[in-house]
Structures are given as structure tokens and as C-alpha cells.
Amino acid sequence: LQDVHLDDPKLKIREHFEEKLGGFESHWSYSTTKKGYSGTAMFIRKRGGGDDASKKGKKQAKIGAFFTSKNKEGDEAAKGDSIGDIPVSHLQPLNVMTELGLPKHDGEGRTVTAEFPLFHLTNVYVPNSGQKLDRLGYRTEEWDTDFLNKMQQLEKGKPVIWLGDLNVAHNEKDTWNEGAKHLVKSAGTTPQERASFDRQLGAGFVDAFRHLHQDAMGHYSYWSQRAGNREPNKGLRLDYFICSKDLMEDDDDRKVVVRDSYMVPLQLGSDHCPIVLEIEMKK
């Protein structure tokens, strides 16, 4: 979850999700410098071993199942300390951080990073440059550079996946109206933001969806509600899974391989839709 009033005492969003998602660990990060400005949350399914796992192991749920109070029993149960051929421990985080460790950025609650045995997973809500582009310099010259450095540091230990609203439509395939004169002056489609994203990918990272679906058009993750753009599919692709190159290569030495990435545009509830990354963990 991103861009929500996680700490709003009236909305009680945290309490709602903790009640509905009792089978998940929840990790929260939200803005302390400006109330309700930005925030991220990560939910990780609890994976108990032994008797608990054998009784309550389930198949992966569909998107809608994560927003109901009861889970349906799956056909395939987890046995002992494994789910199929995969050790349960591979699905349990070793550590979760709700800050980058950079004071000039951490006050806005923009990241949650979970370290798993085989990779790092970072949920990131990249700063918007603003309607008047007043934060364009901060976003491209400071945030993007510092965040990339952090991902490169993590990658020295194991592969990295970062995901979320990156607030950039990378190229002409990621906008419905490429060529419109106003795009060069609009947050998310400025030449500076696109060039900054190019630099991040050029540092050895891969846009999973575009890598797997190179010629795909009309696949967006954001639509303006004010303009009523969802039904005619006049959108932007602002949400991504960015992966270490190692995760895109399939050979005998790889324990984790990315298999697919896509959007779920029929899931309503926001001006963004969910995005999905399918990975294979090998025994």
C-alpha cells in the first residue's frame, strides 16, 4: 500500500487492515514531517512451521482475497518446514526496515524494505515532482541518486527488487497521449524524470514488465479520476517492479527467477491499480 493516511486517527486505516489481515505481518512507514502526506505499508504472510503450517497452509490467494476477513482453505497444504519444494524459511523476512537510513529523506515514510534469504524487497513511493515541478530538482538530483545508491549497496549482498509508484512514465509506450505538448512540463513525464529513470536502469537494473512484454501498449497502472480516464483507458504506467539483472536469468545456478509481471486494471478502489510480479523459487 502507498500514499495513504496511515496514521490518521479518524480513519483508523492501520487498525482496519490489521483486523482484516490477521494472517499477515504488517510493516508501516508514514510521513512524520507532514501528516497524511505520504506513506507505505507492506504485508507479509505469516509462515509458521510444524503443526500450524500443516493445518493452515494455503495456495496463493487472488488479489481480492487479501481484502476479506476469512481465508478459504487451499488444496495444497504446507508440510512441516516446506511449502512444496520450497523451505518456509525462504518466505520469511530476516529483517524489515522502514527507513533508508538517510535523514533528509526518511521523514516522508517512503520506503519499507524486507530482507528475505534470497533477495531484498523494497516498497517505494517516489516523490512526485509537483504540479508546478517545484520538487523536480529534489526528486531527480537527490532522491533518485540516493535511492539508487542504497539499492546498489543492498545488491552487493543479494539481488534486489524495488516496486511501487515510481512517479514516472518511462517512454512513449507508457502514456496514452505521448506527443502532447504539455507532457514535457508535467510531473512524471518530464525529460529530467525520464532521464533519471534511464540512469537507474542503466546501473544494472531491469523494468520487469517491459523486459517481458517489450512491445506491449495500452497497459497502464494510473488513470486520472478527475478526468474520468479509466473507462477509456487513457492512462500512464507509473508503477513498476525493478529487478536485479540476475533475477531475469534462468539457469541451474539461479534460485529465484522472475516469470511474469502485469497490471490488474479491473481491481478498483484507487486511481492506481495493483501490479503483480510472479517469481519462481527453485529447490
Side-chain angles (χ1 to χ4, degrees):
L1 294 178
Q2 298 185 340
D3 192 17
V4 289
H5 298 258
L6 298 180
D7 60 334
D8 191 316
K10 294 182 180 180
L11 296 178
K12 297 183 178 180
I13 290 176
R14 288 186 60 164
E15 291 86 345
H16 171 78
F17 279 103
E18 287 171 351
E19 176 186 351
K20 296 295 183 180
L21 300 178
F24 291 77
E25 298 178 22
S26 60
H27 303 276
W28 309 83
S29 181
Y30 47 83
S31 176
T32 56
T33 58
K34 186 177 179 181
K35 288 283 187 178
Y37 181 63
S38 53
T40 51
M42 184 181 293
F43 303 97
I44 304 171
R45 186 182 291 277
K46 295 176 182 178
R47 304 282 185 178
D51 294 337
D52 182 66
S54 65
K55 291 178 181 179
K56 298 186 179 181
K58 303 174 182 66
K59 284 185 175 180
Q60 179 174 328
K62 295 182 179 180
I63 289 289
F66 289 89
F67 299 93
T68 59
S69 57
K70 295 182 180 180
N71 292 312
K72 295 181 179 179
E73 293 294 332
D75 296 324
E76 181 181 351
K79 298 180 180 179
D81 294 327
S82 66
I83 298 177
D85 294 326
I86 306 303
V88 169
S89 61
H90 284 182
L91 305 174
Q92 296 172 320
L94 302 173
N95 183 39
V96 179
M97 299 176 292
T98 56
E99 295 182 341
L100 289 174
L102 301 172
K104 69 176 178 178
H105 302 307
D106 285 335
E108 293 187 7
R110 294 191 175 274
T111 64
V112 178
T113 297
E115 179 188 359
F116 290 90
L118 300 179
F119 56 86
H120 293 279
L121 183 70
T122 295
N123 176 11
V124 55
Y125 175 37
V126 172
N128 190 296
S129 294
Q131 289 186 345
K132 297 182 180 180
L133 302 183
D134 50 303
R135 300 197 85 193
L136 179 61
Y138 164 72
R139 181 260 170 82
T140 58
E141 298 169 16
E142 298 181 52
W143 170 273
D144 284 355
T145 298
D146 293 342
F147 181 78
L148 175 61
N149 289 339
K150 183 66 176 183
M151 294 300 101
Q152 290 176 312
Q153 291 173 14
L154 293 178
E155 195 183 34
K156 292 178 181 180
K158 61 188 70 173
V160 169
I161 301 169
W162 83 75
L163 64 123
D165 181 358
L166 304 191
N167 264 316
V168 61
H170 188 206
N171 57 41
E172 70 281 357
K173 296 177 183 178
D174 303 314
T175 65
W176 74 273
N177 58 344
E178 187 66 24
K181 293 182 179 180
H182 70 275
L183 290 182
V184 297
K185 296 181 180 180
S186 298
T189 52
T190 64
Q192 296 95 321
E193 290 165 312
R194 288 176 163 181
S196 184
F197 191 44
D198 276 333
R199 287 192 291 272
Q200 291 181 327
L201 298 179
F205 295 96
V206 178
D207 171 358
F209 174 81
R210 187 55 65 198
H211 177 83
L212 296 166
H213 307 283
Q214 296 182 13
D215 299 320
M217 301 283 287
H219 295 265
Y220 308 126
S221 64
Y222 165 82
W223 303 262
S224 170
Q225 289 184 329
R226 183 180 303 174
N229 282 350
R230 189 153 191 163
E231 186 173 349
N233 197 32
K234 297 179 178 180
L236 302 171
R237 188 168 73 99
L238 300 179
D239 302 83
Y240 299 76
F241 284 94
I242 307 300
C243 306
S244 295
K245 285 184 176 179
D246 284 354
L247 296 174
M248 311 304 297
E249 300 174 1
D250 187 5
D251 57 45
D252 293 339
D253 295 329
R254 310 295 178 186
K255 294 297 184 181
V256 183
V257 181
V258 170
R259 293 302 186 193
D260 201 3
S261 183
Y262 49 90
M263 280 63 76
V264 189
L266 297 181
Q267 180 68 51
L268 303 179
S270 170
D271 52 0
H272 290 252
C273 75
I275 59 173
V276 178
L277 185 75
E278 294 185 0
I279 62 176
E280 177 187 357
M281 290 186 178
K282 301 180 181 181
K283 61 180 179 180

